Amino acid sequence: MGVIDKTVTLFRPVGQKEMELIRKSGYTSFPPRLPFQPIFYPVLSEEYAVQIARDWNTKDAASGYIGYVTTFRVRANFLSLYPVQTVGSSKHQEYWIPAEKLAEFNQNIIGLIEVIGKFRAS
């Protein structure tokens, strides 16, 4: 990584199907959004990602009733194009990346996407 490649560490809660697609990419990219998903929203804190994975993904059939927490680093200069969005309390901060910019987002990931948590329905 060069001196100019400053990065921001982000988190993303994902369900089972999305996790399988991340694995297939070699942990290098997030899959394209589905037609009803106009934005990709990585979050700024592990706490917020855990909350979504644990409290939402585990109750969602589309997520396979499993929530994974991933972490990864993205070039700061790419993220500077997008304002941080606060959705709820100050703990709930995320970036809203338009679906059509996800390939470019993936190209700006430095290193691999890591799984740091897994939650199942109780």
Side-chain angles (χ1 to χ4, degrees), residues 7-51:
T7 61
V8 175
T9 299
L10 295 175
F11 303 88
R12 169 100 179 133
V14 299
Q16 186 63 44
K17 289 178 188 171
E18 192 170 356
M19 188 72 249
E20 289 168 9
L21 294 170
I22 292 167
R23 278 191 195 112
K24 284 182 183 175
S25 80
Y27 296 91
T28 60
S29 62
F30 290 93
R33 309 308 294 149
L34 298 172
F36 61 89
Q37 298 171 317
I39 62 170
F40 174 77
Y41 58 95
V43 304
L44 277 66
S45 76
E46 182 177 351
E47 179 184 8
Y48 183 27
V50 164
Q51 181 183 21

Side-chain angles (χ1 to χ4, degrees), residues 78-98:
F78 175 80
L79 289 175
S80 71
L81 302 172
Y82 303 94
V84 171
Q85 305 290 329
T86 301
V87 292
S89 79
S90 61
K91 295 178 186 177
H92 300 126
Q93 293 187 313
E94 54 195 38
Y95 284 100
W96 291 355
I97 310 299

Side-chain angles (χ1 to χ4, degrees), residues 57-73:
N57 292 114
T58 59
K59 294 175 177 74
D60 179 33
S63 294
Y65 301 105
I66 297 175
Y68 294 90
V69 178
T70 64
T71 187
F72 51 95
R73 293 179 301 128

